[in-house]
């Protein structure tokens, strides 16, 4: 199965994530979190640090001529958090399996069918590393669907 991204998808990914910070980067500490309104949903082809596109080969992302593209999904949140005067308050939450697990539970508690533009995530927190060191644990306080 291949996922084709249109030129508009690529443009929107660059446009919406240009200044959006990742609230759960490498330096995240337990208790760090983010809240905000979902203003965009981005899907884009992942690239390595040299800018080369990655493809799934033997269940691993690799630079290759064949294979399905590695696609990342992100929710772009508009938050009230500002690190400085240049910060526009956008946060890009990458939807890895651990974040998905927390958001899925919050969406189910809200009895919604999924996330939507205009919906709000409140209290998406990094709890800590998963037991055994494989992955991370997140928790979502609540999801509020758009009105």
């Amino acid at each position: 199965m291949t996922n084709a991204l249109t030129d508009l998808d690529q443009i929107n990914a660059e446009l919406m994530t240009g200044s959006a910070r990742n609230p759960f980067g490498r330096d995240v500490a337990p208790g760090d979190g983010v809240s905000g309104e979902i203003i965009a949903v981005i899907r884009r082809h992942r690239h390595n640090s040299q800018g080369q596109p990655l493809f799934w080969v033997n269940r691993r992302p690799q630079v290759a001529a064949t294979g399905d593209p590695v696609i990342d999904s992100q929710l772009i949140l508009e938050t009230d958090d500002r690190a400085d005067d240049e910060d526009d308050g956008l946060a890009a939450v990458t939807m890895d399996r651990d974040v998905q697990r927390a958001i899925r539970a919050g969406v189910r508690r809200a009895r919604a069918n999924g996330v939507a533009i205009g919906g709000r995530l409140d209290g998406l927190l990094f709890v800590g590393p998963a037991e055994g060191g494989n992955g991370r644990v997140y928790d979502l306080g609540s999801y509020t669907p758009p009105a």
Side-chain angles (χ1 to χ4, degrees):
M1 173 175 127
T2 58
N3 294 325
L5 295 177
T6 67
D7 289 340
L8 183 59
D9 292 330
Q10 299 281 353
I11 290 168
N12 279 328
E14 292 169 12
L15 177 67
M16 295 308 295
T17 61
S19 64
R21 62 180 172 73
N22 177 0
F24 303 116
R26 290 191 172 123
D27 59 347
V28 68
D32 288 352
V34 66
S35 295
E37 181 179 330
I38 301 168
I39 62 167
V41 177
I42 304 297
R43 291 181 46 82
R44 66 177 170 189
H45 195 159
R46 186 186 306 169
H47 290 71
N48 67 8
S49 59
Q50 289 80 39
Q52 299 166 306
L54 297 174
F55 296 87
W56 291 110
V57 177
N58 296 324
R59 298 175 27 171
R60 294 186 179 268
Q62 297 179 16
V63 175
T66 62
D68 290 334
V70 177
I71 303 296
D72 287 328
S73 299
Q74 292 180 320
L75 297 178
I76 307 300
L77 305 182
E78 186 173 61
T79 73
D80 293 330
D81 298 334
R82 304 289 189 273
D84 54 39
D85 291 340
E86 299 294 314
D87 188 346
D88 59 9
L90 296 182
V93 177
T94 301
M95 299 293 291
D96 64 32
R97 67 174 186 212
D98 300 326
V99 169
Q100 285 181 20
R101 188 175 298 121
I103 292 176
R104 184 181 308 114
V107 167
R108 286 182 177 151
R109 285 192 306 272
R111 299 186 188 277
N113 292 328
V115 296
I117 303 296
R120 182 167 176 85
L121 299 178
D122 283 305
L124 179 59
L125 300 176
F126 171 62
V127 175
E131 285 188 35
N134 248 350
R136 294 176 167 187
V137 177
Y138 295 90
D139 183 51
L140 177 63
S142 67
Y143 171 72
T144 306

